[in-house]
Amino acid sequence: MPLPLVAIRNLSVEFRGEGHTVTAVKGISFDIQQGEILGIVGESGSGKSVTSLSIMRLITAPGSISAGEIVYQPANKLPQDLLRLSESAMRGYRGHEIAMIFQEPMTSLNPLHTCGKQVAEAIILHKKVNAREARRQTLALFERVRLPRPEEAFDKYPHELSGGQKQRVMIAMAISCGPRLLIADEPTTALDVTVQKTILELLRELQREMGMSVVFITHDLGVIAEIADRVAVMYKGEIVEEGEVRQIFERPAHAYTKGLLACRPPLDLRLRRLPVVNDFTGSREPLEVKAFVQSLEMPGSEMLAREEMLAERPPLLEVEGLSTWFPRGKPMFGKVNEWNRAVDDISFTVREGETLGLVGESGCGKTTLSRTLLRLVEPTHGAIRYRGRDLLSMPASELRDMRKHIQLIFQDPYSSLNPRMTVGQAILEPMQVHGLYGNDRERKERVLALLEKVQLLPEHYNRYPHEFSGGQRQRIVIARALALNPEFIICDESVSALDVSVQAQVLNLLRDLQTEFNFTYIFISHNLSVVHFMSDRMMVMQQGKIAEMGTADEVYHRPASSYTKELIAAIPGR
């Protein structure tokens, strides 16, 4: 056996606070073999990113590497323990021998400099070439990562590129110096499934061409199945299981690994609820993934009864010929010659108690449609009727009262919560605005009841949003949406940024709330398997139009449009 490219032994990382210490990584050991793709999988807080930052020596105060070795094998040189190198010596390895793609490209790229300049700067720094040669190499890299129109992309700023394009710029920067080890930390988490698929294929292709080793970090075992050779599963700072990908998928040994595998919405079954990690880690008896998932399957008779029940209910929302257009470019002499047809002549209905799933890639018009339905964006033309009442001709005072009944759960819970307001104040404020309940004491009692309903604690009332995890913040936003006793809720990518395990918990919560309160949902996502689990009917959007509509099973198992077939084929781990 050749020596591993990197041998990590007994690595521990601590973060010190006032009067307490948190050990984020607890004495882990593993190897990264030359020319392999090693997947590291686990939930947020499991220690994945801290481990990758330790390899790069990027742990900063209040964190510190408290123990261990990270032995790197340079080409034709003696092994080096990266933890024993001086900072100046480490800079010779960082970016040149070991490169990293960070999770969020928008925060990793400098918004004040063009994309080309940022990649060229890295080349000048490590390769000691002039600006002209750096530009030539940058353009060649942009072509290599298949970035559209490299010359134009060179002079564009990060905000002018799509998420997938920004990620390609980050990949170009990472491979610019021909590293022997590439660390990719959640590089596809926020991307559409189709864009994610192309990025995974690109990384695999570059890895083969360059002979790199790759550490690919993610929370989704489905993504690992698409790209990795081996996988290490991390849980609470420890590696609980390690092995070949096929072995882990077919014969998982640890309860946590089984939970991660089970909580992804299955492709071939309709479940009453999704399994969660605690079903496996909290069970006294060892559970088998396949048998447990099958035990949650919804019988055909139950599905048929629900379809018949919904068919008898009246429409709650009726949309006819709805269009929302935005001017493209500056008007010439006050006249707009070109329009961006974000929503283009759409018609559909939603019945009481139904979940209509809305799926499509970024830019297809999903979010514009949701905001148009609430008149947060004014439509160009068309009709929207809620319980038979025309929302577009409704006076402002009536519309404000109507909005009590229709609530929107946004994609990013942190940006939709005021960081200066406690959680309790954020949930209580809508009740004050609409004059619900007699006084603030009664409103606070209602808030505490809502916190319990979404499985949070009374003591969370006086805490601020930054003190919560992503999954907890999403529960807070759901509680705020429930504060006005709505009957119709639009969920706009409400689970897309969550770990698959937390995602399963939130989806189950939304399902339970619908059963209890008879909510009607429009559930928006780019993830077709999640929409399939949640929905009675599904609507697929492409470039502002409806590409396909039908029952969830019809669209998923018998897609009619080539676009829907592409979305299904792009689901990782199929």
Side-chain angles (χ1 to χ4, degrees), residues 48-112:
K48 312 184 302 294
S49 294
V50 173
T51 299
S52 67
L53 291 171
S54 298
I55 297 172
M56 294 287 289
R57 283 264 305 270
L58 292 176
I59 300 292
T60 56
S64 65
I65 299 172
S66 56
E69 297 178 335
I70 301 176
V71 179
Y72 176 74
Q73 179 63 59
N76 305 316
K77 292 181 182 178
L78 292 175
Q80 296 284 340
D81 183 355
L82 300 181
L83 301 184
R84 305 293 178 265
L85 295 178
S86 66
E87 178 57 29
S88 60
M90 185 63 202
R91 280 198 294 269
Y93 286 91
R94 193 186 294 133
H96 183 65
E97 296 258 344
I98 306 172
M100 188 165 182
I101 303 169
F102 293 93
Q103 180 170 354
E104 176 46 64
M106 194 61 201
T107 57
S108 304
L109 292 169
N110 190 328
L112 302 178

Side-chain angles (χ1 to χ4, degrees), residues 154-165:
F154 189 98
D155 295 320
K156 284 189 174 181
Y157 291 86
H159 72 273
E160 298 180 278
L161 301 182
S162 70
Q165 289 172 338

